[in-house]
Amino acid sequence: LDMPMQEGSGTAILDGSPTFLDVAVNGDFSADAVGSTSVTGWSLDDFTAEVIADGYSGNAVQLTRVDSGTQSFYQDLSGITSGNKYKINVKLKAIGGSVSAGIRVTTPTNSNPSSNIVSLPADDSWQDVELLFTAQGTTARIQIQRQESDPGSIVVDDVIINQLNLGQNHGTGNGIT
């Protein structure tokens, strides 16, 4: 504890600040070399991928559409806790035109969807997209999606999936020294 107290005195209130655990695999894309077209820990559906060096904070992944359907770049998480709350943050930007894109969470069999789709401007600016979800089981599919007919590509960086309230303690301790 980082609080001024005299040794052996009274009651202390334990810190109730949320603690976070990032459960994303390779969310900063540092596990892959620039120019790589496969991304460790991630799968593609109707996209081509390339790891690029000029992301928001280091490597990023540029995703380009290969057909006219909705495209997704996804990761299947396992070992999450049913009923726990999670928050996903991702940095996205559009290249070559305004794009509708965002985050979608489902079970690995694509049921119980939750999403936050935003319009990314064509001005090459990074947007922080966030989605809160409650785990429906011990697995989940985290998707970065791009809507069907938008032009251009999207760039993805800094995918962070935090388990919220991990190890939180709102109690007291008597006689703490």
Side-chain angles (χ1 to χ4, degrees):
L1 293 176
D2 184 25
M3 55 178 67
M5 288 191 65
Q6 293 180 354
E7 187 173 335
S9 66
T11 301
I13 298 172
L14 301 178
D15 184 4
S17 300
T19 303
F20 303 105
L21 173 66
D22 183 3
V23 295
V25 175
N26 193 28
D28 63 358
F29 309 111
S30 63
D32 300 294
V34 170
S36 177
T37 56
S38 64
V39 184
T40 302
W42 294 86
S43 298
L44 298 164
D45 183 16
D46 294 328
F47 269 130
T48 60
E50 181 180 359
V51 176
I52 61 174
D54 57 347
Y56 183 80
S57 61
N59 285 2
V61 175
Q62 182 171 329
L63 302 169
T64 303
R65 179 180 70 205
V66 295
D67 74 17
S68 61
T70 298
Q71 300 88 43
S72 68
F73 177 61
Y74 65 92
Q75 169 172 127
D76 288 332
L77 299 178
S78 60
I80 60 175
T81 304
S82 183
N84 278 7
K85 294 188 183 308
Y86 295 84
K87 180 172 78 169
I88 305 168
N89 288 87
V90 62
K91 299 286 188 194
L92 297 174
K93 76 174 178 175
I95 296 176
S98 181
V99 174
S100 294
I103 307 167
R104 182 173 189 255
V105 176
T106 68
T107 66
T109 58
N110 287 312
S111 62
N112 298 325
S114 176
S115 63
N116 182 12
I117 306 298
V118 299
S119 181
L120 301 175
D123 65 2
D124 204 35
S125 64
W126 288 97
Q127 304 293 311
D128 187 24
V129 183
E130 178 179 293
L131 178 66
L132 295 169
F133 75 98
T134 301
Q136 303 295 312
T138 58
T139 59
R141 176 167 286 175
I142 308 304
Q143 299 172 308
I144 307 304
Q145 278 195 330
R146 187 182 111 140
Q147 302 306 299
E148 8 190 288
S149 60
D150 291 339
S153 299
I154 62 172
V155 180
V156 180
D157 200 1
D158 293 346
V159 179
I160 300 169
I161 307 167
N162 283 318
Q163 179 178 333
L164 304 179
N165 302 324
L166 179 70
Q168 195 169 16
N169 185 343
H170 290 285
T172 60
N174 288 316
I176 295 175
T177 59

